[in-house]
Amino acid sequence: MMKSIIKKFGIGIILFCLMGSILFSYWRIMIFPKSHGVPILCYHKISTDQEAMSISPERFREQLDALRKMGYHSISLKELGDLWAQGKDPLPGSLVITFDDGYENNYSVAQPILKEEGFSATVFIIVDRKFRTDLLEWSEITELRQEGWEIGSHSWSHVDLTIRPDYHGEVEIKKSRLEIAKRSGGEVGWFAYPYGALNEKTEKWVEKSGYQGAVTTRTGMADKMDGIYRLDRISITPNILPTAFSLKLRIFKAEVAEFFRWILPS
């Protein structure tokens, strides 16, 4: 009796997974044939230290090499936003590489590797660097821009904007954009929410401050249907192996997360 129940339960799980896979494929191919989402990878440090968000230079290089062999190429967030605004989709294999916080090793370590592998990136800068010695110098940020990097804002002082009064939000979002643009000598069109914290109020602040769009830390594929001011990303952590299978699996998990948010909206 018990074996029969377990067998039926197992068959039920298999059928459920199979049906879910079919529905997911239908959603991807038939309902939104031209809106499959774009992977936006989120890095922090490229370093040999043992911190939670650090990727070693060797692993970073191997990941980029695997992505290139998988047929991926990088575009900027501005290019992505411009295409969507024109009613177009990026070419297959497009992805965006981003770095949060603006650590110095983004310039000294990540940039040479990206250049060798043929990728570009976006870095989100924190303006207030009091008591911080590990962040990019303004001269390095300017050089990155000259090398083709996109420069974005990660706020003035990296605080949770959802619990700040309106005037504080204006300084953190609007003033940081103007300051980074002035110091780096170019446009600042994208924002990354500190800690990934956002709500309706912070989204409106970002839009009113003149940004083209913004990214979160929520796992998922970037899809224009989610709204240009709340694009999902894929965090790349040290435990992700630098193999095509591991990276494909990470991107697939983001697609699945996107799918379940679509069928089970909060």
Side-chain angles (χ1 to χ4, degrees):
M1 180 70 178
M2 183 60 68
K3 287 184 178 179
S4 176
I5 293 173
I6 292 173
K7 185 177 180 181
K8 288 179 180 178
F9 182 72
I11 293 172
I13 290 176
I14 292 170
L15 289 174
F16 176 80
C17 292
L18 180 61
M19 185 60 67
S21 176
I22 293 170
L23 287 172
F24 179 67
S25 299
Y26 178 80
W27 170 75
R28 290 274 286 165
I29 298 169
M30 300 299 295
I31 300 180
F32 302 120
K34 292 186 179 180
S35 179
H36 293 169
V38 176
I40 302 179
L41 308 185
C42 177
Y43 288 92
H44 286 77
K45 289 183 175 183
I46 306 300
S47 170
T48 54
D49 65 35
Q50 300 300 309
E51 293 186 20
M53 300 308 293
S54 291
I55 306 290
S56 74
E58 294 75 19
R59 177 154 291 192
F60 182 57
R61 186 188 299 277
E62 290 169 348
Q63 287 176 348
L64 294 181
D65 186 58
L67 288 168
R68 182 169 47 76
K69 289 176 179 176
M70 288 161 62
Y72 281 104
H73 63 274
S74 58
I75 62 173
S76 68
L77 287 168
K78 183 182 187 306
E79 288 173 315
L80 179 61
D82 286 348
L83 285 168
W84 282 347
Q86 297 165 20
K88 301 176 182 179
D89 285 302
L91 292 173
S94 297
L95 61 72
V96 183
I97 298 173
T98 65
F99 290 85
D100 280 8
D101 302 331
Y103 291 100
E104 194 281 332
N105 52 57
N106 298 168
Y107 169 82
S108 60
V109 182
Q111 159 58 10
I113 298 173
L114 283 159
K115 192 171 184 177
E116 287 177 25
E117 295 290 339
F119 289 93
S120 60
T122 300
V123 60
F124 291 105
I125 303 298
I126 301 168
V127 176
D128 186 1
R129 57 251 344 268
K130 291 176 184 174
F131 314 114
R132 297 290 298 270
T133 60
D134 56 346
L135 299 181
L136 289 161
E137 297 288 342
W138 289 108
S139 60
E140 293 172 329
I141 295 168
T142 302
E143 278 194 56
L144 287 177
R145 185 187 287 283
Q146 292 169 351
E147 287 286 339
W149 283 49
E150 183 176 39
I151 308 300
S153 172
H154 203 24
S155 80
W156 189 274
S157 59
H158 201 272
V159 294
D160 183 345
L161 297 170
T162 62
I163 58 174
R164 299 286 167 166
D166 288 1
Y167 73 87
H168 200 121
E170 183 176 358
V171 170
E172 291 288 338
I173 297 172
K174 185 176 182 178
K175 190 178 175 184
S176 68
R177 174 175 174 264
L178 298 174
E179 184 71 11
I180 295 168
K182 181 178 74 174
R183 285 179 171 264
S184 67
E187 178 186 2
V188 175
W190 283 77
F191 186 80
Y193 298 99
Y195 307 107
L198 73 152
N199 55 25
E200 196 172 313
K201 180 176 67 173
T202 57
E203 276 190 75
K204 287 180 179 177
W205 285 344
V206 173
E207 184 175 6
K208 285 172 62 178
S209 296
Y211 290 91
Q212 182 184 21
V215 294
T216 71
T217 56
R218 188 176 70 168
T219 297
M221 301 289 278
D223 194 314
K224 58 188 173 185
M225 300 189 67
D226 291 333
I228 199 70
Y229 293 101
R230 51 166 62 231
L231 296 183
D232 297 335
R233 289 190 288 175
I234 302 171
S235 293
I236 305 298
T237 52
N239 63 322
I240 298 177
L241 297 175
T243 63
F245 175 77
S246 183
L247 291 165
K248 281 179 181 177
L249 183 61
R250 190 72 184 89
I251 292 170
F252 177 71
K253 285 180 179 179
E255 290 179 324
V256 171
E258 196 74 27
F259 169 66
F260 277 105
R261 276 197 293 274
W262 177 71
I263 63 172
L264 298 170
S266 55

